[in-house]
Amino acid sequence: MGHDHHHHHGHHHHGTKNLKVAFFLNLSFTIIEIIGGLMTGSLAILSDALHDLGDSLSIGLSWYFQKISEKGRDSKFSYGYKRFSLLGAVINAVVLLVGSVFIISEAVPALTNPGEVDSKGMLILAIFGVIVNGAAVLRLKKGSSINERVISLHLLEDVLGWVAVLIGSLLIMYFNWQWIDPLLSLLIGIFIIYNVVRNLREAMGILLQRTPKSVQVETVHDQLKTIDQIIEVHDCHIWSMDGEYNVLSAHLVLNKAYALEEQAEIKKQAKSLLKKLGINHATLEFELDGEHCDGC
């Protein structure tokens, strides 16, 4: 029935390598940021360090789970290991939420009573930040997987965050606006929480087996009924394993009884159609008109 779950193995290997490079690049820079943030006394840099730590976790878990997902399915996990990436998303979300609440609790009082920050140190770190994160973006932009493109967007956000820190350091340097630092920190913290909540909602939707947003149930029904032998589609269930790999099970009502060879051809046609609609794995059951359907 299906031997196509091993395709793009070369792409997977390349994607894993790209994620590995981006992970070590990001993690190394996060450590530099934490040290730099403490040395310069900049809350904005410490907030960005938290953002980068979150991205490092995301990339590390994506890299780890992409390697696991290549194992395919076994007797323990009959659908494979794809859903493990959601576990990564939840771990990442908890770390970022706790960190963001801490950063915001530090930034709010600092708005009215800002401490002195080393603006030159901030500027040097910000330039370094734009270069390092920019290099990681370029590395992952060449990738073919959705996983890589999503992480690439995260890193692009980091570049923009560092541009903000760079502008902030110049404003402190030339106008002595010390309050810019806790303000940037507050904005970064709010931005992280907004993204975390959005990602958590997405992960929970997948865990609760919500129909994928990219797939329209009505369209699936209509397209399957374009096959001459199929007159009705029911007991149709569509869900996603990890937000990318979509699964369907459905009962297809045929206009008359067909030989096994003919049924195999109808099934092949149906699966080909479903592939175009974003369904990676389909389990199809045939029925005749008027036949009793258990569980329908």
Side-chain angles (χ1 to χ4, degrees):
M1 183 173 82
H3 298 287
D4 55 347
H5 58 278
H6 292 300
H7 70 310
H8 298 324
H9 191 81
H11 281 179
H12 265 291
H13 180 72
H14 189 253
T16 307
K17 193 179 174 187
N18 279 345
L19 288 167
K20 181 181 175 181
V21 171
F23 168 70
F24 283 113
L25 198 62
N26 229 51
L27 186 64
S28 306
F29 190 61
T30 301
I31 295 162
I32 293 166
E33 269 182 283
I34 293 167
I35 297 164
L38 292 169
M39 284 174 68
T40 58
S42 169
L43 265 177
I45 286 176
L46 286 172
S47 310
D48 224 88
L50 173 72
H51 192 182
D52 273 1
L53 178 65
D55 282 341
S56 296
L57 267 174
S58 278
I59 298 165
L61 290 166
S62 292
W63 168 38
Y64 175 68
F65 290 123
Q66 191 150 316
K67 283 189 82 165
I68 284 181
S69 71
E70 286 170 24
K71 283 166 64 176
R73 50 184 182 244
D74 57 24
S75 57
K76 279 187 182 176
F77 294 93
S78 59
Y79 268 114
Y81 291 77
K82 293 181 183 298
R83 201 156 267 197
F84 273 62
S85 60
L86 299 177
L87 185 65
V90 173
I91 294 166
N92 191 26
V94 171
V95 171
L96 286 178
L97 278 175
V98 171
S100 298
V101 169
F102 172 74
I103 290 290
I104 289 169
S105 68
E106 292 287 312
V108 172
L111 279 170
T112 51
N113 187 25
E116 285 282 322
V117 295
D118 178 3
S119 54
K120 282 182 183 172
M122 267 180 85
L123 181 67
I124 292 163
L125 267 172
I127 292 166
F128 195 36
V130 171
I131 293 166
V132 171
N133 284 288
V137 169
L138 290 173
R139 175 91 198 192
L140 286 178
K141 239 185 170 178
K142 296 171 188 171
S144 58
S145 76
I146 295 171
N147 210 349
E148 289 169 275
R149 291 201 294 273
V150 169
I151 297 293
S152 172
L153 281 174
H154 274 298
L155 293 169
L156 193 58
E157 285 168 4
D158 285 349
V159 173
L160 297 174
W162 276 112
V163 169
V165 172
L166 194 148
I167 294 164
S169 67
L170 290 171
L171 290 171
I172 294 167
M173 200 181 290
Y174 292 105
F175 300 103
N176 200 31
W177 291 353
Q178 298 290 338
W179 51 268
I180 284 285
D181 183 66
L183 179 66
L184 277 173
S185 172
L186 190 64
L187 292 172
I188 292 166
I190 292 166
F191 175 72
I192 293 171
I193 288 174
Y194 167 76
N195 276 314
V196 164
V197 170
R198 199 182 61 181
N199 290 340
L200 256 183
R201 279 179 64 188
E202 189 67 30
M204 291 310 294
I206 295 165
L207 283 171
L208 295 169
Q209 295 191 315
R210 184 192 62 207
T211 304
K213 289 176 184 173
S214 58
V215 181
Q216 301 298 318
V217 180
E218 294 80 11
T219 307
V220 169
H221 281 225
D222 293 342
Q223 286 296 307
L224 284 170
K225 283 192 280 187
T226 61
I227 298 170
D228 295 338
Q229 299 91 333
I230 298 170
I231 56 170
E232 191 53 60
V233 178
H234 60 241
D235 203 25
C236 181
H237 305 283
I238 308 168
W239 67 100
S240 183
M241 294 306 300
D242 59 357
E244 291 176 36
Y245 189 90
N246 299 327
V247 181
L248 171 144
S249 73
H251 289 206
L252 309 179
V253 181
L254 302 178
N255 57 2
K256 64 171 188 176
Y258 288 94
L260 283 175
E261 293 84 359
E262 292 170 307
Q263 285 186 28
E265 191 52 44
I266 298 165
K267 197 172 276 191
K268 187 180 173 185
Q269 240 184 300
K271 288 190 174 185
S272 173
L273 239 169
L274 290 167
K275 271 268 192 286
K276 291 173 188 168
L277 295 173
I279 304 293
N280 306 83
H281 180 93
T283 303
L284 304 170
E285 188 176 320
F286 291 138
E287 290 174 13
L288 293 174
D289 197 15
E291 187 180 323
H292 173 68
C293 166
D294 289 326
C296 296

